[in-house]
Amino acid sequence: MRGCHQAIRLTPRSTRESAVGYQDILSREVHMAKDIEESPSTNPKGPAKLTVYPASIVKDHDPNDTGIFFPDKYVPSGTLDLLVYFHGLPTPCGGHASDRIWDFWRSKTFLLREGVNKSNKNVVLVAPRLRGDKSGLHLDMAADEFLKKVVAFIAARVKTDPFNWQGTKPSTETKDSTGMSIGKLILAAHSGGGSPMLQMARTAKFAKVRECWGFDSMYGSPDQWVAWAAQGGKYFLFWTAEGAINSNKYGNNVTTIQGILNKANIPAGSNATKDLNAASAALAAPNVVVVYAPKPDEAAKGFATSPGRTFASSTSNHCDVPQTYWADMMNSF
């Protein structure tokens, strides 16, 4: 047990049984929730190094509503590379409305921890559980507040086993500093997680979001994605016929973003260049990569392929998009 951050270590028998066990523990300790950990000593279902479900990260949510995964190759330092993943609705992909992050991560469809582990990258994976309502999925917490709490938790946790990081001396200007700051910050989202991903990308100031990976997740706001990419952020979108495509339900999102970006190619002097979107498109176009998931070799049906990036795998299944392209995208670190 670790001082004031005591952890509950469990040995799950199955995904559903372990979730029930966790719920029982949480109901008994609702007033004194503790961190839940999976490590080699707990015979975990997922990768063995360390997964922590902190007692509290997302404000006003249930305890342990965030998962933090430390891969085998992770070595703590004063600079933290962070990958934040926003899940979609669990029910369309074989889950249940009550699923927690440990349920997502143990589903054969979302073995994202395994993908991070195989990449051998020195990065930490974080996934908050999102709240859903009629308007979609929400983090229910300001981007900077969430990121600061995550960094503070990680900085404290890695000072004990299995890491025993000694930390760095805080500067005189920030005496309460954790001694750790974010280096590369990349966001990823599947399905309905695209909206909270966009919200964090647009509002985060604690650290600059370098890339956003949209796994069949653009159900709206193509103009806002172009505006974000015009400021230097890299946006990847992998889409199928089920999400982010022309339909009465979700709007003509792929066509719309393509139309905006095509304004970057309008000849100088044309009356159309007076369109304010043309300047934004010119800045955004090099930073937007749209891939048609069923046939990635066709790029994006009109979009240019990303220099130096190829995607050999393919899928037409909405739920399989993250796992299909996860390994390719881990090369961004």
Side-chain angles (χ1 to χ4, degrees):
M1 296 294 185
R2 298 181 288 108
C4 62
H5 289 284
Q6 292 182 336
I8 301 171
R9 293 174 170 83
L10 302 179
T11 305
R13 290 187 296 274
S14 69
T15 298
R16 181 51 51 187
E17 288 174 345
S18 63
V20 171
Y22 289 158
Q23 294 286 7
D24 289 343
I25 288 174
L26 294 176
S27 65
R28 291 197 302 269
E29 304 195 17
V30 65
H31 298 299
M32 48 182 300
K34 298 179 180 179
D35 303 341
I36 294 174
E37 295 194 351
E38 296 173 344
S39 65
S41 64
T42 70
N43 190 27
K45 286 284 186 180
K49 182 66 174 277
L50 179 65
T51 300
V52 184
Y53 305 97
S56 178
I57 290 288
V58 181
K59 185 169 58 179
D60 299 328
H61 275 215
D62 292 337
N64 312 101
D65 255 1
T66 298
I68 301 177
F69 171 63
F70 300 89
D72 291 340
K73 297 297 184 180
Y74 176 68
V75 178
S77 72
T79 301
L80 171 68
D81 287 347
L82 201 61
L83 172 55
V84 182
Y85 175 78
F86 299 95
H87 65 79
L89 291 173
T91 47
C93 297
H96 304 79
S98 60
D99 281 356
R100 308 292 288 273
I101 293 301
W102 46 69
D103 295 301
F104 278 97
W105 278 355
R106 293 190 189 110
S107 165
K108 64 179 181 180
T109 305
F110 301 110
L111 299 176
L112 306 182
R113 291 180 296 175
E114 287 79 356
V116 172
N117 223 34
K118 290 179 181 178
S119 75
N120 292 322
K121 303 293 184 178
N122 193 37
V123 59
V124 174
L125 172 65
V126 178
R129 193 188 190 288
L130 305 174
R131 179 184 62 82
D133 59 25
K134 292 182 179 179
S135 62
L137 294 172
H138 310 275
L139 177 60
D140 284 346
M141 193 173 185
D144 283 350
E145 184 180 4
F146 175 79
L147 293 171
K148 288 177 182 178
K149 290 187 72 172
V150 166
V151 172
F153 180 89
I154 291 173
R157 179 60 188 87
V158 298
K159 290 180 180 177
T160 59
D161 290 336
F163 306 104
N164 296 310
W165 181 58
Q166 298 302 307
T168 58
K169 292 183 179 180
S171 66
T172 55
E173 293 82 7
T174 56
K175 294 181 179 180
D176 60 345
S177 169
T178 63
M180 182 177 285
S181 60
I182 296 177
K184 295 179 182 178
L185 175 59
I186 294 179
L187 311 183
H190 176 235
S191 196
S195 293
M197 177 173 71
L198 176 60
Q199 177 70 10
M200 181 170 287
R202 296 179 67 205
T203 60
K205 294 181 174 58
F206 180 62
K208 181 178 177 60
V209 178
R210 172 176 169 167
E211 293 185 3
C212 286
W213 307 342
F215 298 110
D216 223 7
S217 65
M218 186 196 282
Y219 294 96
S221 307
D223 56 331
Q224 293 182 27
W225 277 118
V226 171
W228 178 78
Q231 297 174 2
K234 194 88 169 180
Y235 177 53
F236 293 82
L237 174 66
F238 301 86
W239 62 280
T240 72
E242 192 168 343
I245 187 176
N246 306 332
S247 69
N248 292 331
K249 184 176 182 181
Y250 298 121
N252 301 328
N253 294 315
V254 170
T255 299
T256 299
I257 194 171
Q258 185 175 27
I260 296 173
L261 293 173
N262 281 344
K263 293 180 180 180
N265 300 319
I266 296 175
S270 169
N271 289 334
T273 59
K274 296 179 181 179
D275 189 329
L276 295 178
N277 281 336
S280 180
L283 294 172
N287 297 324
V288 178
V289 179
V290 182
V291 177
Y292 182 51
K295 297 181 179 181
D297 55 326
E298 293 183 5
K301 292 187 174 180
F303 288 87
T305 56
S306 176
R309 301 297 286 267
T310 58
F311 304 100
S313 301
S314 64
T315 182
S316 58
N317 187 308
H318 170 73
C319 297
D320 290 341
V321 176
Q323 196 153 294
T324 300
Y325 293 102
W326 193 256
D328 286 329
M329 296 311 298
M330 286 303 303
N331 292 326
S332 294
F333 286 99

